[in-house]
Amino acid sequence: MEKRDKGWLLEVGKVTLILAELAFVFASIGVVIGIIALLTFARGKIVADLAAAGAPAGTYLAFIAVLVLIWAIISLSMLFIRNLRAIVDSVDQGDPFHPDNGARLARMGWYALGVQALQFVVEGLGTGYSRYAEAVGGGTIRMAMDNDPSLTGLALAVTLFILAGVFRKGAEMREDLVGTV
Amino acid sequence: MPITVKLDDLLHERRMTLTELAERVDMTLANLSILKTGKAKAIRFSTLEAICRELDCQPGDLLGYAWK
């Protein structure tokens, strides 16, 4: 397919997505290192610190569970960005209705839904733990989560599924157009 | 596809090459070749009109239906 000039906006988008993917890769590595540290060399100190602070039993496990869930959210976000990059590349190559783009958008919809679901779990875990800690330890330890699921995220997922259908139809029409003389 | 394209026969009768017809109807040789070999999925009325004009024929002379 012929390469066409799409202007500076597309270039900015491509660079932004590359930077975003890199940020997610680094964040993912950071969280994995954190999990490994929690499970190995930092375990003794953290368990002792939590006990000294009067944290209820299970706090250590709650920390690990939250980190694993955060890692899953970052991974899904990374996959989301990767698919978006592939779509942007296809636009750059002058082929926005590439047959793969419909499937990519559908996958992005599932990733967006996955992120929402995991955020819901993380938020629930944080709130549940804080209530438990308050009951057991007098409210000295709280687990605050600042990533509550939103309607915007769900709307994004629904929009992506609709767009996936539009692009699938567009790809079919493109195929017909290719064979039209 | 049961629709057949008889462009090859028409060109032969008119002693015209595909390249010459492509120039006359202002189409690429590649697209005309797709039509000639029966690989086209659709044909625009404007294309049909141009070919019929240059080959002095009717649409029915260019297209056929092979019922088997």
Side-chain angles (χ1 to χ4, degrees):
Chain A
M1 190 75 44
E2 192 183 332
K3 191 152 179 150
R4 287 179 285 176
D5 181 27
K6 288 286 187 305
W8 62 272
L9 203 59
L10 194 70
E11 294 305 319
V12 170
K14 282 169 71 179
V15 173
T16 307
L17 288 174
I18 289 169
L19 292 176
E21 192 173 346
L22 277 175
F24 280 123
V25 168
F26 286 126
S28 174
I29 292 169
V31 173
V32 168
I33 289 170
I35 293 170
I36 292 169
L38 264 181
L39 290 171
T40 55
F41 60 89
R43 180 180 181 161
K45 186 181 181 323
I46 287 171
V47 169
D49 286 349
L50 287 171
T59 304
Y60 171 74
L61 287 177
F63 278 172
I64 293 173
V66 167
L67 277 180
V68 169
L69 289 171
I70 288 173
W71 176 81
I73 289 172
I74 291 170
S75 300
L76 286 179
S77 304
M78 200 160 61
L79 290 171
F80 185 98
I81 295 287
R82 194 166 293 169
N83 278 272
L84 187 56
R85 271 187 63 201
I87 292 173
V88 170
D89 284 344
S90 72
V91 174
D92 189 35
Q93 286 158 10
D95 193 15
F97 286 103
H98 190 279
D100 291 346
N101 280 354
R104 283 175 183 142
L105 282 164
R107 278 200 296 272
M108 285 165 67
W110 285 114
Y111 296 148
L113 267 187
V115 167
Q116 289 303 303
L118 289 174
Q119 282 184 344
F120 188 74
V121 175
V122 170
E123 177 68 15
L125 203 62
T127 308
Y129 173 78
S130 294
R131 282 188 191 147
Y132 174 61
E134 201 172 337
V136 174
T140 50
I141 295 178
R142 298 187 67 80
M143 197 184 280
M145 302 295 163
D146 193 22
N147 59 347
D148 14 337
S150 64
L151 277 179
T152 316
L154 290 175
L156 171 70
V158 171
T159 307
L160 285 167
F161 286 130
I162 292 168
L163 279 177
V166 170
F167 270 70
R168 269 195 290 267
K169 189 70 193 166
E172 280 174 28
M173 290 169 75
R174 169 184 168 275
E175 253 177 60
D176 282 345
L177 198 63
V178 167
T180 301
V181 293
Chain B
M1 197 187 289
I3 298 292
T4 55
V5 179
K6 297 176 277 185
L7 185 59
D8 221 9
D9 298 340
L10 286 171
L11 286 170
H12 186 70
E13 283 169 18
R14 270 101 177 137
R15 309 228 179 275
M16 195 187 287
T17 64
L18 198 66
T19 312
E20 200 179 337
L21 180 64
E23 283 169 9
R24 288 192 185 192
V25 298
D26 196 25
M27 274 178 73
T28 62
L29 188 60
N31 265 352
L32 212 50
S33 187
I34 286 171
L35 179 65
K36 195 189 87 167
T37 52
K39 289 175 184 164
K41 285 185 180 174
I43 181 167
R44 293 188 184 90
F45 276 174
S46 56
T47 305
L48 198 56
E49 184 191 329
I51 292 173
C52 287
R53 184 189 66 230
E54 293 305 325
L55 296 181
D56 189 26
C57 66
Q58 292 297 311
D61 299 328
L62 181 65
L63 303 173
Y65 176 69
W67 60 93
K68 280 185 183 177

